[in-house]
Amino acid sequence: MTGNHLVHVVDDDVDVRKSLGFLLATADFAVRLYESATAFLAMATSHLDGCIVTDVRMPGVDGIEFLRQLRSRGHTLPVIVMTGHADVALAVQAMKEGAADFIEKPFDDEVLIEAIRSALDSRNRTEATHPQSAEIRGRLAALSERERQVLDGLVSGLPNKTIAYDLGISPRTVEIHRANVMSKMAASSLSHLVRMALVVESKR
């Protein structure tokens, strides 16, 4: 088993660690389990293989601080962050801190496995998987003013209800605009949408 198939699972919940360890082992990944970010950082060598799957909410060093410490130490392996449904703001923050992806719990097993494969595959390529900023700008230009406002709210980590309140429209209308934004931007997931928006933002 090469390092490209290695997954480090960091979660303070022992049951979650065990179930993820079993799931990933059956998907032919080599798995290492850690009860905290501190435990992972304590063993981290200068060269790490594979990718990390971590919860965003943990006692002590949480997922966001974990990302910051990994980057400050020069570790570049992809990190997939697991978030609760109400943690949109934390998920967006994780992306801004360099997370490769985030997935919302509860999630389908295949969603996690595909996210890991995609993260590992992306690391093996010199080119990033996102389109170039010019192409993303073209998609942004196709959005209506209201759709762009909804996108800005999503990238700011706001839930649908808050976006609806801020814009003076119903949550259902926000859902419709959000679906249109996802379609026009050709985004496969909220994390993909956020990643594209951040690519354009970083080029400004």
Side-chain angles (χ1 to χ4, degrees), residues 77-117:
L77 69 172
V79 179
I80 297 167
V81 176
M82 298 179 291
T83 68
H85 186 62
D87 289 336
V88 177
L90 284 174
V92 171
Q93 189 179 352
M95 296 292 285
K96 290 180 177 177
E97 293 291 344
D101 205 349
F102 68 82
I103 52 174
E104 293 180 310
K105 295 183 290 188
F107 49 79
D108 184 77
D109 291 350
E110 275 304 312
V111 171
L112 176 62
I113 290 169
E114 282 306 310
I116 291 171
R117 286 179 178 149

Side-chain angles (χ1 to χ4, degrees), residues 43-112:
M43 62 63 59
T45 58
S46 57
H47 181 70
L48 291 170
D49 282 321
C51 74
I52 297 172
V53 174
T54 183
D55 196 9
V56 74
R57 291 188 181 273
M58 296 184 290
V61 178
D62 64 15
I64 303 297
E65 180 59 26
F66 185 29
L67 279 163
R68 289 175 183 150
Q69 291 199 28
L70 285 168
R71 298 302 173 244
S72 70
R73 297 181 184 203
H75 298 308
T76 58
L77 69 172
V79 179
I80 297 167
V81 176
M82 298 179 291
T83 68
H85 186 62
D87 289 336
V88 177
L90 284 174
V92 171
Q93 189 179 352
M95 296 292 285
K96 290 180 177 177
E97 293 291 344
D101 205 349
F102 68 82
I103 52 174
E104 293 180 310
K105 295 183 290 188
F107 49 79
D108 184 77
D109 291 350
E110 275 304 312
V111 171
L112 176 62

